[in-house]
Amino acid sequence: MKKALDGVRILDFSRYLAGPFCGLLLADMGADVIRVERPGGEEDRRMGPFIPPTYESLFVMVAARNKRAITLDIRKEKGQKLLVDLVKNADVVLHNFTSGSNEATILSYEHLKEMNPSIIVTAVSGFDADGPYSQDPAFDFIAQALTGIMSYSGFPGSPPLRATMPYVDYSTGLHAALGTMLALYHKKATGEGQKVNIALLDVATTFMAPTIADYVVMGHTRQQLGNASYYNFSDCFRTKDGWVMLATISNPIWRRFSRAIGRDDLKEDPRFHDDMSRFENRHILIPIVQEWLDDRTTQEVLDLMQKARVPCAQVNSIEKMMTDPKVLSTNMMVSLDYPEIGPVPVAGTAIKLSETPGGIDRRAPKVGEQNGEIYGELLGLDSQAISELEKEEIL
């Protein structure tokens, strides 16, 4: 079945997470994403854990699915000549080299548009690529720290806490994929390429907009609340045999919840008449709810909340998540077979299209696995020429 991005070719020079995740999303939708690495492979191939017996990076095995891979040293003169021909055959160049580096200069939009006026260059950076801190390195948790997210994460009195799941990286990858799609849409209409700049700090700052407005307009400095939510009554509670997350956001849900736990009186209590009052009086509500939960198993709570249509979930371990019927129902767990290793689980495609659905068609490639295929297909190089370039460590 045809995919939405069939015919789009992307040269992906990115490594680590945000850039590769952008490429993954576009590859799932049919784009021919070619991972371009330095001879010997990029640094992210040396990020653990490593899977025996080949000891390949599990990170790359998951992040590079659906991509093809070549090697190329763009810092060398011969490599730059090959780059020209590759760019002429591409729609998008994706990279996350730090501004000011040799690689970032070579892959800049200003440089590449001379080779291909319709090229789109998507550059992922820690900070604004054109700003005063563009040369500073950054990772996900640096953005979490700078934007104040960590200051009110965790339980009262604990040190600042970062989210261990790198959501800023993943969200930056999503923004980069959206930015690339917008540029492709413009290119289709006009034939023009352009530069797409996406910064981790910019993306993290967008998440903080309500918190910033809360501080500036209302004068509120948010404090650590543990698992509670701001301005409504939601929290994580202990059951007889586990933990559940409960969300009673809005009056209709609160009324259904009160009825479900046999406390209709709470619906009429003026201390709990709306989300804000329930938030302010959560110190009263928490013991009431916890006492009700103490005598019930997780499954009993889930069944009751489902019947009452109150958002509720058990707090799964990774092991339990893998067998949770709600998780399994999404078809988001896909296994890919790797030589000498066997099946490796990867996430499925979260964007569901009815007419041009995405999918996973190939495992992550080994270093330079498609050198012969791609250099032959796009540049017309034969095996002898490729072999010579490999000996010279251009490929």
Side-chain angles (χ1 to χ4, degrees):
M1 187 176 292
K2 182 176 174 61
K3 293 185 179 180
L5 295 182
D6 282 352
V8 173
R9 181 171 292 122
I10 299 171
L11 301 176
D12 181 2
F13 289 83
S14 64
R15 61 264 192 257
Y16 300 118
L17 186 49
F21 187 62
C22 168
L24 175 154
L25 294 172
L26 300 172
D28 282 1
M29 293 299 159
D32 179 17
V33 178
I34 301 171
R35 179 180 162 97
V36 187
E37 304 178 65
R38 289 178 290 187
E42 287 294 345
E43 297 99 324
D44 54 7
R45 287 195 183 268
R46 288 172 277 281
M47 291 174 58
F50 304 101
I51 309 300
T54 60
Y55 291 95
E56 294 177 64
S57 167
L58 180 60
F59 172 81
V60 173
M61 293 168 72
V62 171
R65 56 93 179 292
N66 268 351
K67 301 179 185 181
R68 300 193 287 171
I70 61 174
T71 51
L72 179 66
D73 191 340
I74 62 173
R75 297 168 299 179
K76 295 180 179 178
E77 185 177 350
K78 284 188 178 181
Q80 291 177 27
K81 289 180 179 178
L82 291 170
L83 175 65
V84 172
D85 292 331
L86 288 171
V87 170
K88 287 179 179 178
N89 285 279
D91 298 289
V92 180
V93 169
L94 167 65
H95 77 86
N96 57 355
F97 289 108
T98 304
S99 182
S101 65
N102 289 335
E103 292 89 346
T105 301
I106 293 167
L107 297 176
S108 68
Y109 175 65
E110 292 72 22
H111 184 223
L112 296 188
K113 71 177 181 179
E114 295 176 2
M115 311 171 193
N116 181 350
S118 66
I119 197 69
I120 294 164
V121 176
T122 299
V124 176
S125 58
F127 309 102
D128 181 1
D130 298 321
Y133 304 104
S134 59
Q135 296 187 22
D136 288 3
F139 286 103
D140 171 286
F141 38 86
I142 300 300
Q144 288 189 42
L146 279 171
T147 51
I149 293 171
M150 290 174 57
S151 69
Y152 64 96
S153 296
F155 285 84
S158 73
L161 185 69
R162 74 175 176 96
T164 54
M165 178 58 65
Y167 66 91
V168 177
D169 268 335
Y170 282 117
S171 299
T172 300
L174 280 165
H175 277 74
L178 175 59
T180 301
M181 290 302 303
L182 293 171
L184 284 167
Y185 186 82
H186 175 75
K187 176 179 176 176
K188 184 175 182 179
T190 66
E192 299 174 351
Q194 62 181 300
K195 175 170 57 176
V196 180
N197 276 341
I198 309 291
L200 294 173
L201 184 60
D202 290 352
V203 172
T205 301
T206 65
F207 301 153
M208 289 293 288
T211 304
I212 294 167
D214 193 18
Y215 172 73
V216 173
V217 179
M218 305 296 293
H220 296 159
T221 299
R222 296 195 179 186
Q223 305 296 319
Q224 295 167 311
L225 295 182
N227 289 312
S229 294
Y230 264 90
Y231 308 138
N232 64 75
F233 182 64
S234 300
D235 213 328
C236 186
F237 292 93
R238 186 183 63 254
T239 66
K240 283 177 67 176
D241 59 353
W243 294 83
V244 294
M245 195 74 195
L246 278 167
T248 64
I249 302 170
S250 79
N251 284 340
I253 293 176
W254 171 249
R255 287 193 289 269
R256 296 200 298 269
F257 174 73
S258 300
R259 188 179 305 115
I261 66 172
R263 292 295 305 268
D264 280 325
D265 58 302
L266 298 177
K267 294 186 297 183
E268 310 305 326
D269 193 316
R271 295 173 298 176
F272 314 131
H273 77 279
D274 60 14
D275 277 337
M276 181 60 79
S277 62
R278 290 189 287 272
F279 169 73
E280 292 173 343
N281 291 304
R282 64 191 182 280
H283 62 286
I284 301 172
L285 285 174
I286 287 173
I288 294 173
V289 174
Q290 187 59 68
E291 183 180 6
W292 180 82
L293 286 160
D294 281 341
D295 296 327
R296 288 167 175 82
T297 66
T298 298
Q299 193 58 54
E300 287 173 336
V301 174
L302 293 174
D303 291 342
L304 283 166
M305 293 301 107
Q306 183 180 36
K307 185 177 180 180
R309 302 198 72 252
V310 173
C312 180
Q314 63 184 337
V315 179
N316 281 332
S317 64
I318 300 300
E319 181 181 7
K320 287 184 177 179
M321 183 273 284
M322 295 289 291
T323 59
D324 190 301
K326 281 191 174 179
V327 177
L328 293 177
S329 70
T330 64
N331 297 317
M332 283 298 293
M333 300 307 299
V334 179
S335 286
L336 294 177
D337 284 324
Y338 283 81
E340 302 180 64
I341 293 174
V344 174
V346 299
T349 303
I351 299 172
K352 306 294 198 298
L353 301 179
S354 64
E355 304 305 317
T356 55
I360 303 174
D361 302 317
R362 64 166 76 221
R363 60 167 175 79
K366 296 178 182 295
V367 178
E369 185 172 341
Q370 282 80 34
N371 272 354
E373 177 183 320
I374 292 172
Y375 283 114
E377 169 190 321
L378 299 186
L379 276 57
L381 299 182
D382 59 25
S383 58
Q384 183 176 347
I386 293 172
S387 180
E388 288 298 322
L389 288 167
E390 289 175 342
K391 288 178 183 177
E392 296 177 57
E393 297 186 344
I394 304 299
L395 306 184

